[in-house]
């Protein structure tokens, strides 16, 4: 079995120029498949609100749900580093609440670290969580918890001035003690500049190739997101949604035309028992499966 990925492992990947592979997961089966595939890091993202719970944004998910999802993911992970997302208003209100909620994701949810959205304005909260002994990943660029302020899903850091704002945010997060910074939806050159200015690993989602690792939302690459948003940076690796829908259609057709369940899906009993029970039946029925020698 591979060794557990830690913040030190991630630093050493950066030094060696090895890209970290980072995916979202919200449940035990997905996390298990990701572990088997050798994924380095899993984010239990508040995107679960949209991918799993059907919300139209990420702000409606709370700590209780995040702990349930985090537990399911961390149970599956012997190797992958698990990052739990701090949901909206779990760290903005006070340093005490930020520490308590980060602690709950680690102690209750089994996460190895937490992630907070925002730059300079959340740096003091990040410092408080780090002081409490919990590794924190920063998240700048497009921060979905602030969509209202950003004016929707918009690419960030497209001008020199806004790129510099992002660099200053990244420096503030690094000074606050963040072990890594996630950059979302920025031009590749802006991400490269941010990476060059800080020493911690910089991961990207929609931030091009010049970073220390890539994050994608598993539902996006699997084709199982039931929603309208299809970001430019998504590459589809499967059509899980199509496969699942096709399977459900076949099942529905089989139930309706009577081909499921067949004899092979029924529990066989000895012929004499079947005959005694059948004598009590008054209605029409299919043949009761008979016990075969091989079933005994
Ligand atoms: O919740 C999430 O999945 C995220 C990514 C979109 C970065 O925060």
């Amino acid at each position: 079995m591979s060794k557990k990925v830690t913040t030190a492992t991630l630093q050493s990947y950066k030094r060696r120029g090895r890209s970290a592979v980072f995916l979202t997961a919200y449940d035990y089966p997905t996390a298990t498949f990701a572990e088997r595939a050798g994924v380095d890091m899993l984010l239990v993202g508040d995107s679960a609100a949209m991918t799993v719970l059907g919300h139209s944004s990420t702000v409606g998910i709370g700590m209780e749900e995040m702990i349930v999802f985090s537990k399911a993911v961390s149970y599956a992970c012997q190797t992958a580093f698990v990052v739990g997302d701090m949901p909206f208003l779990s760290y903005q209100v006070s340093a005490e609440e930020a520490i308590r909620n980060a602690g709950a994701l680690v102690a209750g949810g089994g996460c190895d670290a937490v992630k907070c959205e925002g730059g300079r304005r959340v740096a003091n909260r990040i410092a408080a969580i780090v002081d409490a002994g919990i590794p924190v990943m920063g998240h700048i660029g497009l921060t979905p918890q602030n969509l209202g302020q950003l004016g929707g899903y918009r690419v960030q850091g497209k001008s020199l001035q806004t790129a510099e704002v992002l660099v200053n945010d990244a420096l503030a997060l690094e000074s606050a003690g963040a072990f890594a910074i996630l950059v979302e939806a920025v031009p590749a050159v802006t991400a490269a500049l941010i990476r060059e200015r800080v020493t911690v690993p910089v991961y990207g989602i929609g931030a091009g190739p010049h970073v220390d690792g890539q994050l994608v939302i598993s539902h996006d690459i699997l084709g199982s997101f039931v929603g309208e948003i299809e970001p430019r940076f998504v590459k589809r690796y499967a059509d899980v949604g199509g496969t699942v829908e096709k399977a459900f259609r076949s099942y529905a057709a089989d139930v309706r035309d009577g081909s499921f369940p067949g004899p092979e899906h029924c529990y066989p009993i000895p012929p004499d028992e079947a005959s005694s029970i059948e004598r009590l039946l008054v209605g029409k029925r299919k043949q009761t499966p008979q016990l075969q020698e091989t079933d005994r």
Side-chain angles (χ1 to χ4, degrees):
M1 199 207 294
S2 308
K3 267 173 67 183
K4 174 82 184 171
V5 174
T6 65
T7 53
T9 320
L10 297 168
Q11 266 290 353
S12 94
Y13 283 4
K14 179 181 171 78
R15 276 196 305 276
R16 291 186 279 134
R18 171 174 164 164
S19 259
V21 181
F22 196 8
L23 256 183
T24 62
Y26 321 98
D27 59 60
Y28 182 80
T30 307
T32 301
F33 297 134
E35 269 276 301
R36 290 183 192 164
V39 168
D40 299 305
M41 256 190 298
L42 289 175
L43 171 67
V44 187
D46 61 358
S47 52
M50 298 171 75
T51 52
V52 179
L53 301 178
H55 298 197
S56 58
S57 81
T58 60
V59 295
I61 196 165
M63 280 301 300
E64 269 182 33
E65 293 111 311
M66 290 306 297
I67 288 173
V68 171
F69 291 135
S70 298
K71 265 188 192 163
V73 170
S74 58
Y75 284 158
C77 292
Q78 278 77 50
T79 303
F81 188 81
V82 179
V83 181
D85 224 354
M86 295 283 282
F88 183 53
L89 294 189
S90 67
Y91 55 102
Q92 289 91 340
V93 177
S94 70
E96 287 74 16
E97 275 191 42
I99 295 169
R100 194 166 297 118
N101 288 323
L105 283 179
V106 172
C111 295
D112 299 303
V114 300
K115 173 170 85 58
C116 298
E117 292 185 12
R120 275 162 294 179
R121 65 180 174 182
V122 299
N124 59 351
R125 296 289 189 271
I126 290 182
I129 301 170
V130 172
D131 274 353
I134 298 169
V136 182
M137 176 180 286
H139 177 174
I140 56 173
L142 197 164
T143 44
Q145 291 175 11
N146 313 107
L147 272 198
Q149 285 180 332
L150 299 177
Y153 289 97
R154 288 167 181 273
V155 180
Q156 304 294 305
K158 285 167 75 177
S159 64
L160 173 60
Q161 193 202 348
T162 54
E164 281 174 343
V165 169
L166 289 176
V167 167
N168 288 330
D169 279 336
L171 289 167
L173 297 181
E174 180 171 55
S175 301
F179 74 92
I181 298 169
L182 176 70
V183 179
E184 176 168 356
V186 302
V189 67
T190 302
L193 180 68
I194 295 168
R195 181 181 180 272
E196 211 179 81
R197 293 289 189 270
V198 295
T199 58
V200 294
V202 172
Y203 303 118
I205 173 165
H210 315 302
V211 284
D212 299 302
Q214 297 292 333
L215 169 68
V216 289
I217 294 193
S218 50
H219 286 64
D220 285 341
I221 63 164
L222 294 176
S224 57
F225 179 59
V226 186
E228 306 285 286
I229 309 157
E230 174 110 37
R232 174 189 172 90
F233 58 81
V234 169
K235 179 174 174 187
R236 277 258 193 122
Y237 289 86
D239 179 23
V240 169
T243 304
V244 168
E245 186 177 325
K246 198 167 156 213
F248 289 167
R249 282 185 191 283
S250 303
Y251 165 66
D254 284 0
V255 169
R256 288 179 187 132
D257 72 12
S259 51
F260 177 82
E264 69 277 26
H265 307 117
C266 297
Y267 295 109
I269 56 174
D272 50 333
E273 295 293 352
S275 312
S276 319
I277 298 170
E278 266 168 4
R279 273 198 290 278
L280 301 178
L281 287 171
V282 286
K284 276 194 173 172
R285 71 209 175 277
K286 289 186 199 152
Q287 198 64 43
T288 303
Q290 303 292 299
L291 190 68
Q292 307 293 310
E293 267 310 308
T294 50
D295 294 323
R296 288 172 211 268

